[in-house]
Amino acid sequence: MPGDPENTSAETTNDHIDLALYRQLVKQFIDMRRFSTALFWAEKVAVLSGGEPRDIYYQAQCMFLLGEYHRAAHTIQHHKLEKNSLPCFNLLLESLYAAKEFTEAANAIQNVEVEMMTTSLINQPVDAGSGCYLESNSVFGGEENHRNELQSSIYLMKGKVYEALDNRGMAMDFYVQALHKSVYCFEALEALVQHEMLMAWEEFELMQHLPLAQQSTETDAKFILKLYESRLKKYYELISARNAEEISPIVNPDALKYIKEFTAKVQQTGSSDSQLPKVSTLKVPLTPSHFMSPASKVLEDLKAPSFSLQTSLSKASSLVDASHRSMFDSSSRRRSRDNDTDTLIPLGDCLNRVQRSTDLMASEAEKCFYDCDYKQCLKILNELLKVDPFHNNALTIQIACLVENGDFNRLFYVAHKLVDRYPDKAISWYAVGCYYDMIGKSDPARRYLSKATALDRLYGPAWLAYGHSFANENEHEQAMAAYFKATQLMRGCHLPLLYIGVECGLTKNLELAEKFFLQAMNIAPLDVYVLHELGVIKYEYEFFDGAATIFQCTVDIVKQRAKTNNEEISARWEPLFINLGHSLRKIHKYEEALYNFQYALLLKPQNPTTYTSIGFIHALLGNLDPAIEAFHKSLALNRDCIVTSTILKSCIEDLMDDPTTIDEICSAALRDVAKNITANSRRVMNSDKFNGMKLKFDEEEELANSDSNMVVEMSFDT
């Protein structure tokens, strides 16, 4: 009978549930982003399977995708899978990092020996037919063949955890190892490059030591290098290995000699102090207590870095050698290529097509930005943002370009768009802070920039802009504090060092300022801003010849870039020509100085200080008339300038003391008097002549009124 319990138990005994079907169902719901449904069935599969590691993994993964990070981490730790399964350990680190439990994640890293787990996996037997490992409990299904990417992901998470704990030395080491475990781990390279962790030469060395030959084919290696090299620094040019034949035409040999001299100073510890002038010979005394300042501590940290790329590369190479079989077996990739020839694309076509990639377009825009070609940079960004309006790197460059061009209306629009769509991103409030800083409202600028740094503590541009907001109001200590933080976060970037040096120079700590400029130039040897500030320091030290040489080198680079970009030199370089003119004036090259002052006047007309400089040069050349004329133009624009008034008074006195001047003035006065007398006499004579003349209608009127027998006499004097 249908209700018989014996028949029901028999039917139940003969029926079975296929767990493989439900596991596949879980994966399908994950792919469709139905995470709650996937979690429901994943939990049932885990119970039915008796807590198999792969089922617990998918259950925890569904929790992670739902944003329940603590729950996912607890699930893995409850079943004690972090020490037995690489995917579970990787997911545990992901969950703790997302939950901001960095200390607990670091403890998990220290308690789990990843290399021991890797070794146990390598020693497992391999199925000759499929190429997969026979053991399926440790790593799930086909994922065993991708264990190098899995290990790379674990090292990447280790780096993120230690970077969040401000242990950047350990973080960089783990990022390098992650990139060596799998050359396809782009996030590791992005962390090293985007967070400015490596110097420029360290980036090139890292590219040279990537195990591309072992992990990819020769064609793939070329493609990968093309993509990765586009992410490297855009403003670095190696000069140490250049000889006389290889010198760029934009850099004259004298300037290159000074640059090499400065670069050599960076490598010295104590000799650089002896090469500086004595404190007593300087017009501005140096601060003796700067050796205990935070700036000195930053310099010491730069001299003794906590990270060594060579050590990390050696460690990564040893790990690669130990796991040779797992890392370098790419036979499966080659077999897949042979079976599917429809997906093969010639390398030349790939390199041409990939130029349309938004990432490569952003890299090209960044290069144009560092070359001061802001017009071309914005052109590339406009094309890019049509395809991807919220590309993070492109938006960062766009904000910087809008600030450089002073386009606050466009920046206002970009900032509001970002805040409306991404209020939890640091770049949104960074854009708002830059807008308020541009329009001169420092208080709201600091508030929004501070919010950006709170959202993303590693976002370097926000720290730099935060320092600028203080520097604009001459609050040097607060500005330097922000720049110090940026220096810690942006080890491979020269900008924080440059800005610290500028602040030290403004506080008249010239010696410390020069040290920071030398460190900045060690990173970016031919950066025009660093060269300009070094020239200013040389001028302050009264090394006018060296200052003129450096300024002239900077001018040559600026002119060459403007010529290459097919545009006029920007008005922002007006102070550079002014400084070059004063340096040339100090070494008595007055004609060249006058040329640079006049060029500066073309860049920024109606500048009273430029007119004063031009007048001063004319006065030194003995051309008092054009000097006085230039001083009058300056005072017309700024009548309260005491310096211009004083020099003008001296020029007028010198002009009056000249005997020839008195003679010229008297002669001119006599000529004016003679001209006036002659003009007056002529007017009198002409008046008499015209008074004696009578016009025709006057004659007719007189004739009509007179006697017809009267004889009329008419005078026509000629």
Side-chain angles (χ1 to χ4, degrees):
M1 295 180 63
D4 191 352
E6 294 182 358
N7 294 336
T8 304
S9 61
E11 292 176 0
T12 306
T13 304
N14 295 330
D15 294 338
H16 297 85
I17 297 296
D18 187 2
L19 290 181
L21 175 63
Y22 285 91
R23 287 168 180 158
Q24 186 65 29
L25 193 64
V26 169
K27 293 182 181 179
Q28 290 178 1
F29 281 123
I30 290 176
D31 293 338
M32 291 186 293
R33 294 169 300 281
R34 303 277 71 83
F35 302 134
S36 296
T37 304
L39 175 60
F40 175 83
W41 291 111
E43 191 269 339
K44 305 306 180 287
V45 172
V47 171
L48 294 176
S49 66
E52 282 195 20
R54 55 179 166 180
D55 297 325
I56 300 299
Y57 170 79
Y58 280 111
Q59 180 185 358
Q61 185 182 21
C62 292
M63 297 174 184
F64 179 86
L65 294 173
L66 286 169
E68 301 175 356
Y69 307 122
H70 291 89
R71 186 182 178 191
H74 175 77
T75 300
I76 295 174
Q77 291 174 326
H78 176 73
H79 292 85
K80 296 181 174 57
L81 295 177
E82 68 273 11
K83 296 184 179 180
N84 302 320
S85 169
L86 285 176
C88 289
F89 180 60
N90 180 56
L91 182 57
L92 174 64
L93 295 182
E94 289 267 10
S95 301
L96 293 175
Y97 179 81
K100 301 186 184 303
E101 298 290 347
F102 306 126
T103 304
E104 187 177 350
N107 294 333
I109 292 172
Q110 295 174 0
N111 295 330
V112 176
E113 294 290 341
V114 177
E115 294 305 322
M116 294 299 296
M117 298 169 62
T118 305
T119 305
S120 64
L121 293 174
I122 293 173
N123 294 330
Q124 293 173 8
V126 180
D127 184 8
S130 63
C132 299
Y133 285 81
L134 298 178
E135 180 66 39
S136 61
N137 250 354
S138 302
V139 185
F140 317 121
E143 294 177 7
E144 177 60 38
N145 292 329
H146 304 286
R147 64 195 171 281
N148 52 343
E149 281 79 10
L150 188 56
Q151 296 170 29
S152 176
S153 177
I154 291 175
Y155 279 106
L156 173 67
M157 290 310 306
K158 288 183 178 181
K160 288 186 175 182
V161 169
Y162 279 103
E163 186 177 10
L165 292 173
D166 283 334
N167 192 340
R168 296 177 67 82
M170 290 285 291
M172 288 186 280
D173 183 60
F174 282 125
Y175 286 143
V176 172
Q177 293 184 48
L179 198 55
H180 268 68
K181 286 292 184 181
S182 174
V183 295
Y184 298 95
C185 185
F186 169 74
E187 286 182 76
L189 177 69
E190 182 74 358
L192 291 169
V193 174
Q194 196 67 25
H195 294 173
E196 302 285 356
M197 290 187 171
L198 298 178
M199 300 293 185
W201 60 86
E202 291 177 333
E203 292 179 356
F204 288 119
E205 188 175 356
L206 179 63
M207 291 295 102
Q208 293 174 358
H209 288 82
L210 286 180
L212 293 169
Q214 294 85 353
Q215 299 186 30
S216 63
T217 64
E218 182 179 355
T219 303
D220 288 335
K222 294 179 181 178
F223 182 67
I224 293 171
L225 277 179
K226 172 69 176 179
L227 297 177
Y228 283 2
E229 287 178 354
S230 68
R231 312 293 297 189
L232 304 184
K233 287 182 173 55
K234 312 300 186 301
Y235 50 79
Y236 179 78
E237 183 176 353
L238 187 64
I239 65 170
S240 58
R242 296 161 66 96
N243 53 37
E245 290 76 14
E246 296 175 339
I247 294 176
S248 174
I250 65 175
V251 183
N252 59 66
D254 293 336
L256 189 63
K257 180 186 69 174
Y258 277 98
I259 294 173
K260 288 186 176 181
E261 172 191 341
F262 294 147
T263 307
K265 279 187 178 183
V266 180
Q267 307 298 333
Q268 300 174 3
T269 55
S271 58
S272 60
D273 295 334
S274 62
Q275 294 178 2
L276 299 176
K278 299 296 183 181
V279 177
S280 59
T281 62
L282 297 176
K283 292 184 178 181
V284 181
L286 300 179
T287 305
S289 61
H290 73 274
F291 294 103
M292 301 300 294
S293 65
S296 299
K297 185 178 183 302
V298 171
L299 290 173
E300 291 299 323
D301 293 340
L302 292 172
K303 292 180 181 178
S306 59
F307 170 76
S308 173
L309 180 64
Q310 289 76 14
T311 304
S312 295
L313 291 175
S314 301
K315 186 186 298 184
S317 300
S318 63
L319 294 176
V320 167
D321 294 337
S323 58
H324 184 277
R325 176 176 138 188
S326 66
M327 289 290 292
F328 300 157
D329 186 10
S330 58
S331 58
S332 60
R333 292 178 180 174
R334 294 192 179 94
R335 284 198 301 270
S336 64
R337 290 183 177 184
D338 295 337
N339 296 333
D340 191 3
T341 57
D342 295 337
T343 60
L344 297 180
I345 304 176
L347 178 62
D349 293 344
C350 286
L351 296 180
N352 291 331
R353 294 181 187 179
V354 81
Q355 295 296 331
R356 298 193 295 270
S357 168
T358 54
D359 291 331
L360 266 67
M361 292 176 67
S363 298
E364 183 64 24
E366 184 181 2
K367 185 178 185 303
C368 293
F369 177 80
Y370 282 113
D371 287 341
C372 302
D373 189 3
Y374 304 116
K375 181 179 179 181
Q376 180 65 17
C377 179
L378 287 174
K379 180 179 179 181
I380 296 173
L381 290 175
N382 290 334
E383 296 178 2
L384 187 158
L385 294 174
K386 290 179 182 178
V387 180
D388 187 359
F390 300 102
H391 193 285
N392 193 71
N393 293 343
L395 287 172
T396 302
I397 303 170
Q398 184 191 30
I399 292 170
C401 274
L402 295 177
V403 172
E404 286 290 339
N405 292 335
D407 191 355
F408 55 86
N409 289 326
R410 177 67 178 172
L411 182 58
F412 177 85
Y413 170 75
V414 172
H416 268 272
K417 182 175 67 174
L418 287 173
V419 170
D420 290 340
R421 289 164 175 79
Y422 298 102
D424 295 331
K425 278 193 172 183
I427 189 174
S428 303
W429 302 106
Y430 166 68
V432 176
C434 289
Y435 168 76
Y436 279 106
D437 186 60
M438 183 187 297
I439 63 176
K441 296 184 177 181
S442 298
D443 290 337
R446 293 169 192 164
R447 184 167 64 252
Y448 291 119
L449 290 171
S450 178
K451 184 173 182 178
T453 58
L455 290 172
D456 186 357
R457 217 168 30 85
L458 305 177
Y459 192 51
W463 285 104
L464 293 178
Y466 188 59
H468 295 341
S469 65
F470 288 106
N472 292 338
E473 296 187 349
N474 295 324
E475 298 183 14
H476 305 296
E477 294 183 359
Q478 292 89 338
M480 291 179 69
Y483 296 146
F484 288 150
K485 182 62 178 179
T487 304
Q488 297 173 3
L489 299 176
M490 308 168 72
R491 172 179 174 267
C493 184
H494 68 291
L495 294 178
L497 300 172
L498 171 64
Y499 298 140
I500 294 173
V502 171
E503 294 302 313
C504 291
L506 292 175
T507 56
K508 302 305 179 183
N509 197 336
L510 303 181
E511 183 179 1
L512 199 58
E514 185 182 30
K515 290 181 179 180
F516 276 104
F517 291 145
L518 296 179
Q519 289 289 345
M521 199 177 65
N522 194 28
I523 299 174
L526 296 181
D527 184 82
V528 288
Y529 299 101
V530 179
L531 290 175
H532 177 262
E533 296 301 330
L534 273 172
V536 172
I537 292 297
K538 283 290 184 181
Y539 187 92
E540 293 289 339
Y541 273 139
E542 299 184 0
F543 295 158
F544 303 119
D545 196 2
T549 304
I550 296 174
F551 284 137
Q552 186 62 56
C553 169
T554 311
V555 166
D556 294 340
I557 296 176
V558 169
K559 288 184 176 180
Q560 182 64 27
R561 285 181 177 177
K563 181 179 179 181
T564 304
N565 300 333
N566 294 322
E567 62 181 11
E568 298 294 332
I569 296 178
S570 173
R572 68 172 54 87
W573 296 114
E574 184 248 3
L576 172 61
F577 288 90
I578 292 291
N579 293 336
L580 176 58
H582 285 301
S583 300
L584 293 171
R585 173 179 62 81
K586 286 291 187 178
I587 58 177
H588 308 295
K589 295 183 178 180
Y590 300 131
E591 297 293 342
E592 298 179 24
L594 181 60
Y595 169 79
N596 284 280
F597 287 137
Q598 291 173 343
Y599 201 99
L601 194 62
L602 292 177
L603 296 179
K604 192 175 181 181
Q606 304 301 315
N607 189 344
T609 58
T610 307
Y611 279 116
T612 300
S613 301
I614 292 175
F616 193 33
I617 294 296
H618 279 302
L620 293 174
L621 290 173
N623 304 326
L624 297 180
D625 290 333
I628 293 174
E629 181 181 357
F631 290 140
H632 278 299
K633 290 181 179 179
S634 176
L635 290 174
L637 298 171
N638 182 16
R639 62 181 181 180
D640 297 329
C641 182
I642 299 176
V643 175
T644 305
S645 301
T646 303
I647 303 177
L648 175 61
K649 181 180 178 181
S650 299
C651 289
I652 294 175
E653 291 176 353
D654 292 341
L655 191 64
M656 295 302 296
D657 292 340
D658 190 356
T660 58
T661 303
I662 301 299
D663 295 340
E664 291 178 0
I665 293 175
C666 295
S667 301
L670 291 175
R671 285 194 299 270
D672 292 339
V673 171
K675 290 180 181 179
N676 291 333
I677 294 175
T678 305
N680 291 333
S681 62
R682 288 179 179 176
R683 282 195 295 271
V684 171
M685 294 174 62
N686 292 334
S687 175
D688 295 341
K689 177 176 68 176
F690 285 111
N691 288 335
M693 293 179 58
K694 293 185 178 181
L695 300 180
K696 183 176 181 180
F697 57 84
D698 293 330
E699 298 170 4
E700 293 177 351
E701 184 177 0
E702 291 180 0
L703 288 173
N705 297 329
S706 63
D707 190 355
S708 59
N709 296 324
M710 182 181 294
V711 178
V712 179
E713 295 182 358
M714 300 177 62
S715 174
F716 293 94
D717 296 334
T718 58

